[in-house]
Structure formats: structure tokens, C-alpha cells
Amino acid sequence: MEKPLVVIEDLHVSFRTQTRVVDAVRGVSLVMGKEKIGIVGESGSGKSVTGRALLGLTPPNGRVEAKRLEFDGQDLRGLDAEGWRHLRGRRMAMVMQDPKFSLNPVMTVGRQIAEAYGTHFKAGRAEARDKALAALEAVQIRDPSRVFDLYPHEVSGGMGQRAMIAMMLVAEPDLLIADEPTSALDVTVQMQVLAILDDLVARRGMGLIFVSHDLDLVAAFCDRVLVMYGGRVVETLKASELSAARHPYTRGLLDCVPRLERAQAKLNVLERDPSWLEGA
Amino acid sequence: MILSAKNLTVAFGEMRAVDEAAFTVERGESFGLVGESGSGKSTVLRVLAGLIEDWSGSIAFDGKALGRTRDRAFYSRVQMVFQDPYGSLHPRQTIDSALAEPLAIHKMDRHEQRIEKALEEVGLGSGFRFRYPHQLSGGQRQRVAIARALIVEPEMLLLDEPTSALDVSIQAEVLNLLDALRKAHNLTFVMVSHNLAVVAHMCRRLAVMNRGRIVEEMDRDALRRGEAKDPYTRRLMAASRGYDRKLAESFKTLD
Ligand SMILES: Nc1ncnc2c1ncn2[C@@H]1O[C@H](COP(=O)(O)OP(=O)(O)OP(=O)(O)O)[C@@H](O)[C@H]1O
Ligand SMILES: Nc1ncnc2c1ncn2[C@@H]1O[C@H](COP(=O)(O)OP(=O)(O)OP(=O)(O)O)[C@@H](O)[C@H]1O
Ligand SMILES: [Mg+2]
Ligand SMILES: [Mg+2]
């Protein structure tokens, strides 16, 4: 196998809160190359926390421990601020789950994208602006020059998500962690945005970690899928074999999906089994 | 009929975010709004909720024409769940005070019991009660937003992508809960969603929006059968069958 892009071994993340310690991630491992990894799983199972730990963005009340945590052969444990500055944004980037929260509310969307490009490539204003407009157009924004000058509160939910994606993509990272990047997009736009990500993986050799609740989408789009429950990976599958999952949690999850071709009086729900929290 | 909108138009500068939209919603019904990202769905809900004052056309709620602003009595009858739950929860307010606030505003009793029940109903234990929004996962925050809207026992809920941040098992629980509450209390929903299967499950009728206009209205059976007249709706249905690289290419040329 080629040199792995990411190696995570036995990752643990816990948070101290007023009342107790929350063990958000409990022993996650992943070795990945230039491929599309899907992460699905229960709300609160540790998907976003895992992504943020990989990028060194765990908040101060959190504690990260791992046997190995590597990006492109470099140990990320104990990396200093200077080290992170070289990696983050430029080489590894993350599209956060709440786009409006991650965008700067007092700066126009276009300027944020242009600045992201300008910082990484030392480009002049005009060039950065052109790049930003092209990036907005690439993510299917209808009227890029209008949207360039809008503030985050003036764009729709899906436009905010696409602005975030555009901002990460202008930096051409080697690893993109995309946390629910298309949940606010209608399926026609979603499909075109995914096609861009697909191309970056296929042509530029980017690695993609794609966190999503959309099981059908992950099955069709990704190469491999990790299923998380209670801070652990309970199952890893080839994406194309997701429908043949074995773990009762994954099976139950598939069963909860509403289907256009199947009318139901009530949706099926999941009976959670405490044993899913334990063991291998 | 609990709600009707005619010639509803909202412009931001030159751009018409909503362009002459018209629809009606019966009491106790669930009405869906689907459409392209940026087509004006959230703007319609925000006008209904009184969050945008600059619009033209007419809206009637429960037989009375609505003006630019809404009074407190309106918000005890109509509540909105926002698309982006971060925006609707104050970062320095615990979940407990986020839920206590509407109870105080609407002078409701038994705060303690109502808060416990509201959290319970959306599948969050009391362990979450004194946490701050940033200490929750995306789906947990969304469930707090839903609990906050339900806690004042409204007649109508405006739901903007209420479950797109939730995993499918929690989504099923939340949708079952919303549906049960609607039936039990004759609640009315206006619901925006990108997920056609969710809309078909929840809504008897739906409107499809594209570039500010309602391009098509249909019932759930037509949606299930894939009977669409408008070209955008047809594209939407094709795309909802799953990721397909070639189909994505064909959309580009169609544009
Ligand atoms: N700063 C924090 N302090 C305390 N607990 C936290 C903090 N951040 C996250 N958590 C908890 O860690 C757990 C994992 O959160 P995470 O955001 O990774 O979930 P997720 O799998 O991304 O869920 P979702 O699908 O709902 O976004 C949750 O129970 C959450 O409440
Ligand atoms: N305050 C504002 N100022 C300028 N333009 C705005 C403002 N609010 C909304 N818009 C514009 O109105 C259009 C419709 O936005 P809206 O949020 O209603 O879309 P939407 O259908 O909800 O999309 P999505 O599915 O992506 O959430 C967008 O082009 C948006 O940029
Ligand atoms: Mg998350
Ligand atoms: Mg919206």
C-alpha cells in the first residue's frame, strides 16, 4: 500500500463539563490513503469530535490521547502552534457542520474566500478575487458577483455551506474533512458539489473524510464507511456493501430511513442495545 | 384554512428572493416546501414568522390579515424551528435557560415539569440540561431547538429543515413525535426539507420552489409516483435516486 495519508490509532477524546466527564471518543482507529472515507453514526457518537481532534481543534475543556495520530507521516501529537499553522487550512482543512458559525459574521463571504486564497498562495487582491468568484461558481452559486458581496446572514443555509466548501477548496488541501457538508443542499446542487469533491480525489489525489447522516449518499459516493456508535467505530465496510451491514446498529439505522417508494404510518425506530457500547 | 398567502414577494435589492408566491394551508395539515438551495424557502418562513418586515402581497392567519409585525399572542400560537440551530441558541445560555425563556415570556406555569418533559420528548436526558450549546453535537442542538418551539404548545410550527442535522434513527423519532403531536393537538406544520422521502412521509401536499417562484404544487401520492410537470421538479426527482456522476454532468449542460 502507498504511504498512508492519515493514521489514527486508539484515539480517545474526553471533555470536562460542570457535572461530569464526557468520553466522546473511545478508541477510534483509521488508516486512510487518497480515498473517500464516509463516517456515519448516531448523533453524539463522536464524528465531529474525531474530525476536530485530527485538526488540532479540540476546545480547552477537551483532552486528546492516541497511540498514533499522524498526517502524511508527521506526528500530530504535541504539535506546536507554528506547526499547526503550516498544516491547517493549507494541507488539511475542515468544512464545519454549522457553516454560519464558522464564517466570520462581519466579513463578506467573497472576501473570506479571497483572503483564504491570498494567505495560502501569497496572491494579490485581484487574483484572489478572481479565484474566489471562480470557486463560488464552481459550487453552483447562481450569481457569484452578487453573493461575493453578501454577509453570512444574507445567504441561505445551502449557500453558506457552499461558501465554506469554496473557501476550503481554494487552498487545495491534501486532506479535507467535510462534516455534513451538503445537508442543506437540495439533491440537484448536492450532486454537483459532490462531483467536484470526487474530481479532487480522483485527479489531485486528495483524501476525503465525509461525515454524513445520509446513508444512501455515503453508500453511493464513498469508498469505505465507518459506522460510529457511542464514541467507537462499531463497523467498517466497503461503501458499496453498506446495505449488507452486519452490526445490529447499522442494520437498525438502515431500517429507519424513510423511502419515497414506501409509505409507512410510522417510521421504524431503533431499539438501542447497551451491549453496543462495549467490546470490539 | 389556517394560513393563506397571495402574491407574496420579497426583494433584497434587485433580487426577488420570493416572487409572487401563493399557497394555502388547512388547519391540522402538514404542508411541505421543497426546492433549490437559495430559492426562497427560508425567506417564506421568515416572512410568516414576522422576521422580515419588508414584503408585499397578503397573508392571512386564522382568518385575519397579518401586518408587518407580530404581537406576543401570535408567537404563543406560531413557533419556528430554524435551519441553523446555532443561530437560534444563545451561546452563553444553558439549555435550561433557553427552554425557560419562552415559558417566562408566555407566562406559562410548571417550568420544571415542562422543561423535563420537553427534553424527554426529543430524546435528550436531563444530563444535557445545564450544558451550553457548544458542548452539544449538531443533532443535539437541533433537538433543543425543536424542544424550545414545542414547549409553548403552539398551534402552528414553521419547520426549516428540522431533521437534516439528525442521524436517521433520531430523525425517525423526531418525525414520529412531530406527527403524533400534530394528530393529537391538530397542529399545523409548514415544513421545509431537502429530503423528498421525508416530505412524502410528513406532508399531504407540497410546493416546489425555484428562483423565488412556486413552480409546482402536488400531493404526496404524485410525489411518490414521481409525477412532476415542471422541469426543475423532474431534475430533483432524478437526483433523489442517488449520487450519479453522469447525471451531475448532465445538470451542468442543462443549466
Ligand atoms: N466541548 C464539549 N464539552 C462537552 N461535551 C462535548 C463537547 N463537544 C462535544 N461534546 C459531546 O461529545 C459527544 C460527541 O459529539 P460530536 O459533536 O462528535 O457528535 P457527532 O457524532 O458529530 O453528532 P451529530 O451527528 O449530532 O453532529 C456528544 O455527546 C457531545 O455532547
Ligand atoms: N438579508 C438578506 N440580504 C440579501 N439577500 C438575502 C437576504 N436574505 C436572503 N437573501 C437571499 O435570498 C435568496 C433566498 O434565500 P433563502 O434563505 O430563502 O433560500 P432557501 O430556499 O432557504 O435556500 P437553502 O435551501 O439553501 O436554505 C438567496 O439568494 C439569499 O442570498
Ligand atoms: Mg457532528
Ligand atoms: Mg433555507
Side-chain angles (χ1 to χ4, degrees):
Chain A
M1 189 179 148
E2 56 181 321
K3 187 174 81 171
L5 189 63
V6 173
V7 181
I8 302 175
E9 196 181 320
D10 202 22
L11 174 72
H12 288 257
V13 184
S14 57
F15 295 99
R16 194 179 299 279
T17 70
Q18 269 156 320
T19 45
R20 63 194 186 99
V21 172
V22 179
D23 293 311
V25 175
R26 307 181 299 146
V28 164
S29 298
L30 166 70
V31 177
M32 74 174 280
K34 292 158 182 175
E35 55 182 327
K36 291 171 285 188
I37 299 285
I39 305 186
V40 302
E42 188 94 337
S43 166
S45 62
K47 305 182 294 293
S48 302
V49 167
T50 298
R52 283 199 296 265
L54 189 55
L55 235 76
L57 292 173
T58 304
N61 71 326
R63 197 187 145 92
V64 178
E65 277 172 301
K67 290 211 181 85
R68 289 173 75 186
L69 193 62
E70 291 166 15
F71 169 72
D72 201 16
Q74 184 176 0
D75 192 349
L76 300 174
R77 294 169 309 168
L79 197 66
D80 61 7
E82 180 62 20
W84 279 117
R85 223 179 351 263
H86 280 116
L87 286 184
R88 218 186 274 140
R90 179 67 187 89
R91 299 212 52 212
M92 50 203 299
M94 182 161 177
V95 177
M96 299 282 176
Q97 195 168 1
D98 292 274
K100 293 215 177 152
F101 186 71
S102 356
L103 288 168
N104 180 346
V106 297
M107 198 194 278
T108 63
V109 163
R111 212 177 125 204
Q112 292 185 55
I113 301 170
E115 283 200 355
Y117 181 78
T119 332
H120 296 308
F121 294 104
K122 313 263 174 293
R125 267 183 95 100
E127 185 195 343
R129 188 187 158 86
D130 288 346
K131 278 282 174 193
L133 283 169
L136 285 173
E137 189 165 6
V139 292
Q140 306 295 315
I141 297 277
R142 275 201 187 285
D143 188 354
S145 53
R146 179 182 73 90
V147 175
F148 188 96
D149 292 318
L150 295 180
Y151 287 92
H153 73 274
E154 297 174 329
V155 301
S156 78
M159 288 158 71
Q161 273 191 338
R162 284 178 283 162
M164 280 295 299
I165 293 173
M167 190 151 101
M168 297 307 144
L169 293 183
V170 290
E172 302 182 359
D174 300 312
L175 172 71
L176 181 68
I177 303 168
D179 197 352
E180 298 276 358
T182 61
S183 63
L185 301 180
D186 66 285
V187 279
T188 64
V189 172
Q190 176 186 65
M191 203 179 273
Q192 297 175 75
V193 169
L194 292 176
I196 301 175
L197 297 180
D198 213 358
D199 287 348
L200 288 173
V201 175
R203 299 206 188 121
R204 271 205 40 246
M206 182 179 82
L208 177 68
I209 297 180
F210 187 83
V211 178
S212 175
H213 288 308
D214 189 333
L215 300 178
D216 293 341
L217 180 65
V218 165
F221 179 67
C222 294
D223 302 314
R224 284 192 293 151
V225 184
L226 270 53
V227 183
M228 287 189 68
Y229 187 85
R232 297 188 313 118
V233 175
V234 294
E235 191 167 24
T236 305
L237 298 140
K238 269 168 92 173
S240 56
E241 288 163 9
L242 185 62
S243 61
R246 290 250 181 72
H247 194 281
Y249 170 66
T250 321
R251 296 226 53 82
L253 208 55
L254 288 164
D255 203 37
C256 297
V257 180
R259 305 250 168 229
L260 204 48
E261 63 283 353
R262 170 180 75 179
Q264 290 169 287
K266 266 181 94 170
L267 295 172
N268 299 334
V269 296
L270 193 63
E271 295 295 336
R272 292 173 183 77
D273 184 333
S275 73
W276 298 345
L277 293 170
E278 316 304 328
Chain B
M1 189 162 70
I2 191 166
L3 182 73
S4 83
K6 279 192 205 113
N7 296 327
L8 183 62
T9 299
V10 183
F12 296 107
E14 298 282 280
M15 205 255 329
R16 286 191 167 197
V18 181
D19 194 1
E20 308 262 312
F23 58 91
T24 61
V25 182
E26 301 294 326
R27 185 182 287 278
E29 170 181 51
S30 182
F31 183 74
L33 267 183
V34 308
E36 191 169 66
S37 168
S39 63
K41 305 176 299 294
S42 298
T43 305
V44 167
L45 292 195
R46 293 169 65 84
V47 167
L48 296 175
L51 299 169
I52 294 176
E53 293 185 9
D54 206 3
W55 52 272
S56 63
S58 60
I59 309 171
F61 173 67
D62 201 13
K64 283 202 215 65
L66 286 181
R68 307 290 116 168
T69 54
R70 312 274 184 274
D71 55 12
R72 187 194 300 160
F74 177 84
Y75 291 111
S76 70
R77 302 179 65 190
V78 180
Q79 283 280 316
M80 177 154 170
V81 175
F82 292 89
Q83 183 168 10
D84 128 56
Y86 240 126
S88 56
L89 298 172
H90 193 287
R92 278 191 291 278
Q93 201 177 35
T94 61
I95 305 316
D96 181 68
S97 46
L99 294 176
E101 190 178 69
L103 293 176
I105 291 174
H106 297 289
K107 306 196 167 47
M108 297 179 80
D109 60 355
R110 296 183 291 121
H111 288 198
E112 183 65 25
Q113 283 119 297
R114 287 182 195 272
I115 290 172
E116 288 282 338
K117 178 164 161 262
L119 284 175
E120 169 89 47
E121 275 183 338
V122 294
L124 292 175
S126 46
F128 289 94
R129 209 171 140 181
F130 296 98
R131 287 215 212 160
Y132 291 92
H134 73 268
Q135 297 178 325
L136 302 183
S137 78
Q140 291 162 346
R141 276 196 294 273
Q142 182 64 316
R143 282 181 274 168
V144 173
I146 293 171
R148 192 175 139 107
L150 286 173
I151 205 166
V152 302
E153 301 180 353
E155 288 165 52
M156 182 160 93
L157 276 181
L158 306 172
L159 300 158
D160 199 350
E161 298 276 359
T163 61
S164 69
L166 305 180
D167 73 79
V168 288
S169 69
I170 309 285
Q171 165 172 281
E173 286 168 21
V174 169
L175 292 180
N176 284 345
L177 166 73
L178 286 171
D179 214 32
L181 288 170
R182 185 176 61 79
K183 287 176 179 138
H185 304 290
N186 205 29
L187 295 184
T188 308
F189 296 160
V190 181
M191 178 168 162
V192 172
S193 175
H194 284 309
N195 187 323
L196 296 184
V198 165
V199 172
H201 178 71
M202 293 296 286
C203 304
R204 194 171 61 86
R205 287 186 309 130
L206 65 137
V208 183
M209 290 189 74
N210 192 18
R211 307 192 196 198
R213 299 186 151 266
I214 292 184
V215 293
E216 182 155 10
E217 222 186 272
M218 60 170 89
D219 64 19
R220 61 153 62 110
D221 297 327
L223 175 63
R224 287 201 192 280
R225 287 194 300 266
E227 290 169 7
K229 294 185 205 81
D230 177 79
Y232 171 73
T233 319
R234 279 209 289 272
R235 241 165 98 169
L236 197 60
M237 287 178 172
S240 73
R241 284 192 277 273
Y243 178 71
D244 177 337
R245 191 69 183 74
K246 288 216 183 67
L247 195 59
E249 287 302 332
S250 78
F251 288 167
K252 268 183 211 148
T253 53
L254 235 161
D255 233 357

